[in-house]
Amino acid sequence: MSDSIDEGAGENTYAARLPLPSAPVGRPVRIPVHRSTTYAFATSQEYADTLGGATEGYSYARVDNPTADAFAHAVAALEGARVPGGTRAQAFGSGMAAISTTLMALVEAGAHVVASHSIYGNTYSLLDGLLRRFGVRTDFVDITDLDAVRGAVRPDTAVVFTETLANPTMVVSDLPALAGIAHEAGALLVVDSTFASPAVCRPLEHGTDLVLHSATKYLGGHSDATGGVVAGRPELVERIRAARIDLGTGLAPDEAYLLHRGLETLPLRVARQCATAAEFASALAGHPAVARVDHPSLPSHQGHRLAAELFDAGRRGAVVTVTPHGGRAAGMAFADGLRTAEIAASLGGTHTLAGHVASTTHRQMSDDALRAAGIGPAAVRFSIGVEDPADLVADARAALDRLAAP
Ligand SMILES: *Cc1c(COP(=O)(O)O)cnc(C)c1O
């Protein structure tokens, strides 16, 4: 069979099968968006061999898509350039698609998971709700307390799960130590590195087995595409690919294109955002209306020393949590007083976003539970964008001054 239809065909046959141009001569500098959901073969044998995996090639979009693969390939290069043995990656329709598919590929009924108690809300409910219904038991621990982690890990532990930088306190996980504890028990260390991005930290270089991202955040970087990705050793990623195909959680080609384009400016954006975040944190730490500022650039922060060991020079993440004196109302008033920063969910984009933590991302938690997690009732989380640092500092100072005024 060929892709050209003979001239005697009826008009509908002719219209439906207009010839496709051959691949352009020349090397485009950007990736094409491959929207075709299916691929034609010259023979039944070729179709059978491709579907069966005997011959390399694309067959059906849910199985593999070249644009999604291009994005995954690029992330593997960013996360794994210095990892011996090679790094592969798989792309997903969202960060949660990447996390849920990865965990389902790694655990079975009766398996045990040890997870940080300060992880993304939907990861928490996935482990504590949906996966528990399927017989997966998760113990949540203070991930900064290595003795507690050691005490929670058991011979049947399949996965130790944490985040490089925790939301909203920016607590840093000791990845080499956690990898040691996990591997001693025969478990895998799986790390959600969304808040760091590979421009700040590459967990695979520090003993982590699999690194995950919500690509919706820093990788895409412009708040206009939803996706996720996991990277690690080829044999682990191949297991996750099989689960992705069964679950249908892969990344769509248009989103893949935007996310791939975002990667090109990732270090430019993130270096700038991190520098501004450090400036913002130190400028606000001394304001009389402020009780506390959380950012690893500050010497008082839990992750100050660890970040110097694990993160790229001068980059400490670009989320800063500012906690004014007072209760929930003070936090909401602080956020409402901002003019440059926008009140919005998400992070990692070019716009600076702010959100009152206790009434939004952590709304299920009481003041006592928040306090136990190191979060004040008035805490406001900032995702620092690419605006001029002086404007962001002036905006936050003005909102704080308004708060203090009678
Ligand atoms: C946003 C986020 C997720 C979920 O990603 P989606 O793309 O929204 O599915 C997971 N982990 C962290 C740390 C996140 O910030």
Side-chain angles (χ1 to χ4, degrees), residues 94-97 99 120 123 163 192 194-195 214-217 226-228 347:
S94 69
M96 284 318 302
I99 294 167
Y120 189 68
T123 310
E163 295 177 2
D192 178 343
T194 299
F195 271 53
S214 165
T216 316
K217 314 296 168 52
T226 301
L347 64 138

Side-chain angles (χ1 to χ4, degrees), residues 5-398:
I5 287 296
D6 92 54
E7 278 166 29
E11 66 171 345
N12 293 297
T13 305
Y14 191 77
R17 302 293 299 278
L18 291 171
L20 298 175
S22 49
V25 176
R27 185 175 63 87
V29 299
R30 308 221 64 94
I31 59 168
V33 179
H34 291 275
R35 304 190 57 132
S36 188
T37 57
T38 191
Y39 292 78
F41 298 97
T43 65
S44 297
Q45 192 59 51
E46 196 187 306
Y47 175 25
D49 289 346
T50 305
L51 219 52
T55 307
E56 239 187 85
Y58 290 95
S59 58
Y60 182 61
R62 177 169 44 75
V63 175
D64 286 304
N65 171 275
T67 315
D69 284 354
F71 170 68
H73 193 72
V75 174
L78 286 170
E79 288 286 1
R82 279 177 241 158
V83 178
T87 298
R88 292 255 304 277
Q90 288 288 301
F92 296 86
S94 69
M96 284 318 302
I99 294 167
S100 57
T101 305
T102 296
L103 287 172
M104 286 176 81
L106 300 179
V107 299
E108 55 196 23
H112 182 244
V113 173
V114 173
S116 165
H117 63 37
S118 52
I119 50 174
Y120 189 68
N122 292 114
T123 310
Y124 185 90
S125 53
L126 171 71
L127 286 165
D128 202 46
L130 199 132
L131 285 174
R132 202 176 285 283
R133 287 194 358 241
F134 290 89
V136 177
R137 294 151 308 138
T138 302
D139 283 319
F140 296 94
V141 298
D142 175 355
I143 209 75
T144 64
D145 181 348
L146 295 175
D147 287 332
V149 179
R150 227 173 263 118
V153 167
R154 309 192 309 228
D156 62 340
T157 303
V159 169
V160 175
F161 190 99
T162 190
E163 295 177 2
T164 309
L165 285 163
N167 177 34
T169 52
M170 297 295 273
V171 158
V172 179
S173 278
D174 187 341
L175 302 178
L178 292 170
I181 295 169
H183 295 161
E184 210 171 296
L188 297 170
L189 177 63
V190 179
V191 175
D192 178 343
S193 203
T194 299
F195 271 53
S197 93
V200 171
C201 178
R202 291 160 304 282
L204 299 178
E205 294 175 4
H206 304 289
T208 298
D209 297 286
L210 289 164
V211 60
L212 294 151
H213 292 279
S214 165
T216 316
K217 314 296 168 52
Y218 290 102
L219 302 186
H222 294 75
S223 306
D224 59 3
T226 301
V229 64
V230 62
R233 286 195 296 285
E235 76 276 12
L236 282 176
V237 172
E238 193 50 44
R239 269 165 72 188
I240 297 165
R241 174 176 171 265
R244 170 181 64 66
I245 295 167
D246 285 347
L247 291 167
T249 46
L251 179 64
D254 290 289
E255 303 292 279
Y257 176 83
L258 289 170
L259 296 172
H260 188 276
R261 185 170 68 173
L263 292 180
E264 199 163 303
T265 54
L266 178 75
L268 273 175
R269 286 184 281 110
V270 170
R272 159 80 179 216
Q273 286 166 293
C274 288
T276 305
E279 192 175 329
F280 186 80
S282 81
L284 296 185
H287 193 284
V290 170
R292 166 175 173 173
V293 176
D294 292 292
H295 190 258
S297 63
L298 299 170
S300 58
H301 189 270
Q302 167 274 346
H304 187 70
R305 179 192 55 81
L306 265 174
E309 272 172 39
L310 302 178
F311 295 180
D312 287 358
R315 300 180 188 171
R316 297 293 179 263
V319 169
V320 181
T321 296
V322 179
T323 306
H325 293 292
R328 290 176 181 236
M332 291 177 96
F334 174 35
D336 291 352
L338 296 164
R339 299 288 174 264
T340 305
E342 297 166 284
I343 297 175
S346 199
L347 64 138
T350 52
H351 294 203
T352 294
L353 307 180
H356 173 237
V357 176
S359 62
T360 59
T361 54
H362 291 61
R363 64 189 177 281
Q364 300 90 346
M365 293 166 74
S366 66
D367 279 10
D368 282 345
L370 285 172
R371 208 165 295 119
I375 303 164
V380 173
R381 185 191 83 181
F382 288 82
S383 167
I384 299 297
V386 301
E387 302 92 338
D388 290 301
D391 293 334
L392 296 174
V393 169
D395 183 40
R397 277 204 179 120

